[in-house]
């Protein structure tokens, strides 16, 4: 979970922004959560992390993990009400608005956003009326709002490459536009890239870091990966047992990776091929995950032995209903 691992693989175009359009089902303590520890490592390396607040409705005041991390940019979805002005924008009805564990930083367009789809995926098959042509889909959710914000961050850094991650967050938050309705009453404003491009408010406040030594199950909550009718639980990853205390301390975090191996588990290939992002391909690597129910083998071959080869997943079960979470059930796809 070291998001910063490949930051400088292309020295001419280092990774500067990560979009996290998902959330875990738990509400762990921010000062010990392993997931928040992981995203903080990217942030501390200068990578701006944008995370979706969640889609549990305006009555939900708890943003999803890792948007709950105080360092990252937490984004809720806005409704534009079909106008070009942001003055009448407000929280979309489905979006989590935060306030208990932390407030969202601002809202961004998240209704009926046209974006790429994965042909044959669960969303692609379940919502045929939302498809636009064969490769696009019109969807709504804080995931879309986070993606819009990530694109804005990329454009901001292209224009102002010397900004730090903390300064990017400050610039975007303080230059955001005033809106209406519930968002106005909660003092949440709307993303305004044009204003951010010229903003000189670079003051950045500090934030408390996570130790990373908390329980993985606290982050999972009720959202579980299930295989062979057994839910993944305890301090186990899909590769095997994981004790957060052995990798989360900052002294260990810098050495937990060796090539594409993490904590002794083969996670990815050891490098890239090609000379730029446009032509790079991920080196092949076999994932040798082990059952977490005490068995020695899976009852089917759909996990053990699958591998990344080039830019695609070689198995066919990575799409479809296995990649889903009840935490996002209220997102709209029309």
């Amino acid at each position: 979970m070291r998001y910063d691992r490949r930051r400088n693989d292309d020295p001419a175009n280092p990774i500067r922004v990560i979009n996290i359009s998902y959330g875990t089902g738990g509400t762990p303590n921010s000062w010990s959560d392993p997931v928040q520890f992981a995203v903080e490592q990217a942030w501390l390396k200068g990578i701006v992390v944008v995370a979706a607040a969640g889609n549990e409705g305006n009555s939900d005041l708890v943003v999803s993990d890792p948007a709950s991390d105080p360092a990252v940019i937490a984004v809720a979805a806005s409704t534009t009400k079909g106008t070009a002005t942001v003055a009448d924008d407000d929280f979309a009805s489905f979006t989590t608005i935060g306030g208990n564990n932390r407030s969202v930083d601002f809202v961004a367009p998240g209704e009926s956003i046209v974006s790429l789809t994965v042909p044959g995926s669960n969303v692609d098959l379940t919502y045929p009326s939302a498809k636009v042509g064969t490769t696009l889909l019109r969807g709504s959710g804080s995931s879309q709002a986070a993606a819009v914000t990530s694109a804005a961050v990329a454009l901001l850094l292209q224009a102002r490459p010397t900004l730090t991650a903390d300064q990017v967050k400050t610039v975007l938050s303080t230059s955001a536009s005033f809106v209406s309705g519930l968002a106005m009453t909660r003092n949440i404003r709307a993303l305004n890239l044009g204003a951010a491009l010229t903003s000189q408010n670079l003051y950045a406040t500090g934030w408390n870091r996570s130790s990373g030594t908390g329980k993985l199950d606290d982050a999972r909550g009720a959202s579980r990966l299930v295989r062979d009718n057994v839910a993944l639980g305890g301090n186990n990853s899909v590769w095997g047992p994981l004790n957060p205390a052995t990798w989360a301390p900052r002294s260990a975090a810098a050495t937990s990776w060796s090539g594409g191996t993490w904590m002794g588990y083969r996670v990815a290939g050891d490098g890239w091929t090609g000379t730029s992002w446009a032509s790079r391909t991920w080196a092949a690597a076999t994932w040798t995950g082990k059952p977490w129910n005490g068995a020695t083998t899976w009852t089917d071959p759909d996990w053990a032995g699958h591998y990344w080869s080039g830019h695609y997943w070689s198995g066919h079960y990575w799409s479809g209903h296995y990649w889903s979470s009840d935490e996002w059930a209220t997102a709209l796809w029309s």
Side-chain angles (χ1 to χ4, degrees):
M1 295 177 67
R2 284 293 304 281
Y3 291 99
D4 63 304
R5 180 62 185 170
R6 297 288 176 179
R7 180 181 185 273
N8 294 310
D9 274 0
D10 187 350
N13 300 285
I15 296 171
R16 296 294 308 274
V17 60
I18 294 174
N19 178 75
I20 300 182
S21 286
Y22 63 80
T24 71
T27 54
N29 294 323
S30 63
W31 56 85
S32 61
D33 178 32
V35 176
Q36 294 184 42
F37 174 85
V39 297
E40 287 173 10
Q41 302 315 299
W43 193 273
L44 292 168
K45 293 291 186 179
I47 303 175
V48 180
V49 180
V50 181
N55 302 317
E56 301 304 318
N58 294 171
S59 62
D60 188 4
L61 302 181
V62 179
V63 299
S64 297
D65 187 17
S68 52
D69 189 283
V72 307
I73 297 176
V75 185
S78 68
T79 174
T80 65
K81 299 181 180 177
T83 67
T85 177
V86 298
D88 61 351
D89 288 5
D90 195 2
F91 287 118
S93 61
F94 56 78
T95 197
T96 297
I97 66 174
N100 280 2
N101 56 346
R102 66 159 291 182
S103 295
V104 297
D105 293 299
F106 45 79
V107 297
E111 278 191 346
S112 297
I113 305 297
V114 176
S115 186
L116 292 171
T117 187
V118 179
S121 66
N122 182 53
V123 168
D124 187 68
L125 297 176
T126 305
Y127 303 98
S129 62
K131 296 178 71 170
V132 179
T134 59
T135 60
L136 302 175
L137 181 140
R138 189 183 303 275
S140 299
S142 59
S143 292
Q144 277 81 355
V148 169
T149 301
S150 295
V153 170
L155 292 171
L156 177 62
L157 286 171
Q158 184 179 39
R160 306 178 65 180
T162 61
L163 292 178
T164 66
D166 286 331
Q167 289 173 336
V168 166
K169 181 176 179 178
T170 296
V171 165
L172 290 176
S173 298
T174 58
S175 64
S177 299
F178 289 101
V179 291
S180 64
L182 179 60
M184 179 181 65
T185 64
R186 299 186 69 86
N187 197 30
I188 301 299
R189 296 188 280 174
L191 175 69
N192 185 332
L193 176 59
L197 289 171
T198 58
S199 172
Q200 295 304 309
N201 187 348
L202 303 181
Y203 177 76
T205 59
W207 43 274
N208 295 323
R209 301 186 191 181
S210 170
S211 68
T213 57
K215 297 178 181 178
L216 292 177
D217 273 356
D218 289 343
R220 292 188 180 107
S223 296
R224 302 285 165 156
L225 178 64
V226 178
R227 203 62 178 164
D228 292 346
N229 296 317
V230 178
L232 177 61
N235 281 327
N236 293 295
S237 71
V238 294
W239 298 286
L242 170 66
N243 180 2
T246 65
W247 75 277
R250 281 155 179 57
S251 59
T255 58
S256 57
W257 280 93
S258 177
T261 301
W262 178 70
M263 298 299 293
Y265 298 117
R266 170 60 65 181
V267 176
D270 288 330
W272 299 81
T273 61
T275 57
S276 66
W277 285 121
S279 61
R280 290 195 175 220
T281 302
W282 190 262
T286 301
W287 285 27
T288 55
K290 298 180 180 179
W292 44 78
N293 61 352
T296 57
T297 60
W298 295 110
T299 59
D300 55 55
D302 292 324
W303 179 268
H306 276 190
Y307 60 91
W308 282 103
S309 178
H311 62 283
Y312 60 90
W313 180 251
S314 64
H316 60 285
Y317 277 93
W318 195 247
S319 61
H321 66 282
Y322 293 110
W323 186 252
S324 60
S325 169
D326 290 340
E327 301 305 315
W328 305 98
T330 54
L332 305 178
W333 297 100
S334 60

